Amino acid sequence: MIHGKVMFIVLSKLKGARHAGFRSLLLKFILTVQFAVVFCVSAQQPAAEVDLTQPLTLEQCVQVGLERSTNMRNARLNLAIQELRVKTARADYFPRIFSNGVYDFSDRIDFGFEPENYDLGLSGQYTIWDNGQREGGFAQAKETLNATISRNEIIKQGLILNITEAYYDVLKRQELVNVSEQILARSQENTQRTRDFVEAGSLIPADVATAEVREANDRLALLSNRNSLQVAQATLPRLLGLDPGILLPVGIDESYRLYQERGTIERIGVSVEEAIQIALDNRPEFQETQAQLRSQEWSLTLAKLQRWPRLNADVDYNVNLDDYLRERENFSDFRSWSAGVSLNFTFFDGGVLGNRVKELGMQLEQARESASDLERSVALSVRQSYLNLKRSEEAVDISKTQVVNARLSLDVIQGRFDVDKAILLELLDAQTSYAQALTNEVNVFYDYKIAQIRLQDAMGVLQ
């Protein structure tokens, strides 16, 4: 329709024009169209800026990621593309109308022809009967759209999982830095005490060297944890669709604070069989697989329908503008129309359609076999995630006990060392055990949090 309107405008502009005038008008028209396209593209609104001045919670990070991440943007574009394909398939139910205009220019006048000739026409086509091919194409497009919706949900849950893991990794690294700073401060204090004991004659200078080695090791551990924190802080904004160079502040982890106060964690309240059943009811992979199967079934049906004929109605209407503009007489003498019905079908194609049907049939069998294995794969994934979470819950309890015992042992040995009842190596070993217990407690707690979120992802309930 746009093409026909543009051609009509060009023809009306070219009345009585010569060759040079035609080129000039055509060039102006092309430049006008190009300017309009550039203007439309440049008129797009910029994306809203994200306020990064305040610490972000996990929910805020997920919200930013769902809006700005590349995966979600591409997912939304894929959904829009599939919606357009559904509209295109629906449009096959409507007739198609075409317009055509012709302008000829020549420097010769032979056999009564003028140097300029115009012609304008309309043609229409409508499929009267196609044995259900339009219906099949429309149904297939809708099933593909359903599969895309389910696929986008899979992408969404995967992104939420990755953002949550990255968020917890930042929190874990921050806690490890805090633990390393506390351990280093204690090592520095012990080194100074050792120097005081050497000056008092209770220890020898070699004990100072031993304490300094321990302090240096703790300093290296702090540097390593700070470096890991910087890497984690760069990973999180990358997943959110932001510049990795942005230092993204995160909020305080209330769950870890409550764990430190109460010494307890939230435990899973369903059995593994119940978790598997929840996954079978909620995982978007099942909806996607079923939609893909139905789409492939329609592909096979459409391939079979290609062997059947199509009945089309064709209408043409033409006007000889050249003679009409020259003579200016009765308009009906310079127009013509025609209508007809055509029946088209493939009589012989060397087996192309038959081979296509066989190929689609085998692909459909492959898809059904993969679908039958999906349930077993999901059940295994849920079981593994469930067992990992149970192990993490037990590990949290063990790590808490280790911290308590290591702290009691350190306090006892520290008191004995202060009254010269314990040697320096005993104190350093106790400090090492306590430091390791604190580090294990942080790692185990956030491993437990990640195990929780992974089980939710395996069950298909991650939102």
Side-chain angles (χ1 to χ4, degrees):
M1 295 295 292
I2 295 177
H3 173 73
K5 184 177 180 181
V6 169
M7 183 60 70
F8 179 77
I9 294 174
V10 173
L11 288 175
S12 64
K13 293 287 186 180
L14 290 176
K15 288 183 179 179
R18 289 296 181 262
H19 198 188
F22 169 73
R23 287 183 175 179
S24 177
L25 287 173
L26 183 60
L27 179 60
K28 291 179 180 179
F29 169 72
I30 294 175
L31 292 176
T32 301
V33 172
Q34 289 177 343
F35 174 79
V37 172
V38 172
F39 178 79
C40 292
V41 172
S42 62
Q44 295 179 353
Q45 295 295 329
E49 293 294 331
V50 179
D51 184 11
L52 303 178
T53 58
Q54 299 297 327
L56 298 179
T57 64
L58 175 58
E59 291 74 15
Q60 291 173 328
C61 288
V62 170
Q63 181 180 358
V64 172
L66 294 178
E67 292 175 356
R68 300 180 62 111
S69 71
T70 299
N71 290 341
M72 289 306 301
R73 288 183 176 181
N74 288 336
R76 288 190 288 267
L77 288 175
N78 287 334
L79 181 61
I81 291 172
Q82 293 302 328
E83 290 174 345
L84 289 176
R85 290 177 178 175
V86 171
K87 293 180 180 179
T88 301
R90 185 187 296 114
D92 288 338
Y93 286 96
F94 299 95
R96 296 186 179 185
I97 301 175
F98 310 92
S99 63
N100 55 80
V102 178
Y103 171 78
D104 294 328
F105 184 85
S106 175
D107 61 349
R108 297 179 60 186
I109 304 178
D110 296 329
F111 304 106
F113 289 101
E114 294 295 331
E116 291 183 307
N117 294 280
Y118 310 91
D119 192 15
L120 181 65
L122 291 174
S123 61
Q125 186 181 67
Y126 178 70
T127 301
I128 300 175
W129 179 76
D130 61 358
N131 202 46
Q133 294 184 38
R134 287 175 296 182
E135 178 184 358
F138 183 51
Q140 183 185 31
K142 290 192 295 184
E143 293 298 342
T144 304
L145 175 61
N146 293 334
T148 302
I149 294 174
S150 299
R151 167 52 55 181
N152 286 0
E153 183 63 25
I154 296 173
I155 295 173
K156 174 185 174 182
Q157 293 197 7
L159 179 63
I160 294 175
L161 174 63
N162 293 335
I163 291 175
T164 305
E165 289 181 344
Y167 187 87
Y168 283 146
D169 191 43
V170 172
L171 294 177
K172 179 175 72 172
R173 301 300 173 183
Q174 289 178 344
E175 292 296 333
L176 289 176
V177 168
N178 293 334
V179 169
S180 297
E181 289 175 347
Q182 296 174 14
I183 294 172
L184 178 60
R186 184 181 292 271
S187 296
Q188 291 173 339
E189 180 182 354
N190 288 335
T191 300
Q192 184 59 45
R193 285 186 178 183
T194 303
R195 292 193 181 98
D196 295 339
F197 283 134
V198 170
E199 292 179 359
S202 299
L203 297 176
I204 61 175
D207 292 329
V208 176
T210 302
E212 289 177 346
V213 169
R214 177 65 61 185
E215 178 183 341
N217 291 335
D218 293 336
R219 193 182 301 277
L220 288 175
L222 175 60
L223 291 176
S224 176
N225 287 329
R226 284 177 175 173
N227 182 73
S228 298
L229 174 60
Q230 292 176 349
V231 173
Q233 289 175 329
T235 302
L236 180 59
R238 169 66 181 82
L239 293 173
L240 303 186
L242 303 174
D243 184 0
I246 297 177
L247 182 60
L248 200 62
V250 298
I252 299 175
D253 187 9
E254 292 295 331
S255 63
Y256 187 73
R257 183 182 62 82
L258 292 176
Y259 164 71
Q260 292 289 341
E261 293 177 357
R262 302 174 182 176
T264 59
I265 57 174
E266 180 183 358
R267 299 180 182 274
I268 187 171
V270 298
S271 65
V272 63
E273 290 76 15
E274 292 173 332
I276 292 175
Q277 186 58 49
I278 293 174
L280 297 179
D281 294 336
N282 292 277
R283 284 284 287 264
E285 287 88 344
F286 291 104
Q287 288 81 8
E288 180 192 22
T289 299
Q290 293 302 317
Q292 289 176 342
L293 282 176
R294 291 191 292 267
S295 177
Q296 288 185 283
E297 289 171 353
W298 277 114
S299 295
L300 179 58
T301 301
L302 288 173
K304 294 178 179 178
L305 291 177
Q306 289 293 324
R307 298 176 176 179
W308 292 85
R310 295 172 63 98
L311 184 62
N312 298 321
D314 301 287
V315 178
D316 292 297
Y317 180 85
N318 293 285
V319 177
N320 190 337
L321 290 179
D322 183 43
D323 293 340
Y324 172 70
L325 293 175
R326 183 175 64 254
E327 299 184 12
R328 300 289 182 176
E329 296 181 359
N330 189 9
F331 179 75
S332 61
D333 295 337
F334 304 97
R335 61 183 177 83
S336 62
W337 63 271
S338 64
V341 177
S342 62
L343 186 66
N344 303 313
F345 66 95
T346 302
F347 183 74
F348 176 76
D349 63 358
V352 173
L353 289 178
N355 293 336
R356 179 60 177 166
V357 170
K358 293 178 182 179
E359 177 184 350
L360 290 174
M362 288 185 285
Q363 291 177 352
L364 180 59
E365 288 299 320
Q366 288 180 330
R368 287 172 176 168
E369 183 63 29
S370 299
S372 65
D373 185 60
L374 178 61
E375 183 175 339
R376 296 188 292 270
S377 299
V378 168
L380 176 60
S381 175
V382 173
R383 190 176 297 274
Q384 290 175 337
S385 299
Y386 187 91
L387 294 176
N388 288 337
L389 178 57
K390 297 297 290 184
R391 179 192 60 80
S392 297
E393 291 175 349
E394 296 297 328
V396 169
D397 293 338
I398 295 174
S399 67
K400 189 66 176 179
T401 302
Q402 287 177 333
V403 169
V404 173
N405 293 337
R407 180 56 187 264
L408 290 175
S409 177
L410 177 60
D411 290 343
V412 171
I413 296 178
Q414 183 73 57
R416 293 174 58 195
F417 179 78
D418 292 340
V419 296
D420 202 17
K421 296 296 183 179
I423 63 174
L424 179 62
L425 289 179
E426 290 181 297
L427 176 62
L428 295 180
D429 288 340
Q431 288 180 344
T432 300
S433 299
Y434 181 61
Q436 187 62 50
L438 290 176
T439 302
N440 289 341
E441 183 183 35
V442 174
N443 287 323
V444 166
F445 177 80
Y446 284 102
D447 287 346
Y448 150 75
K449 297 293 291 185
I450 292 176
Q452 267 190 331
I453 204 72
R454 286 179 177 174
L455 178 59
Q456 294 177 18
D457 178 64
M459 294 167 59
V461 296
L462 186 60
Q463 299 292 339

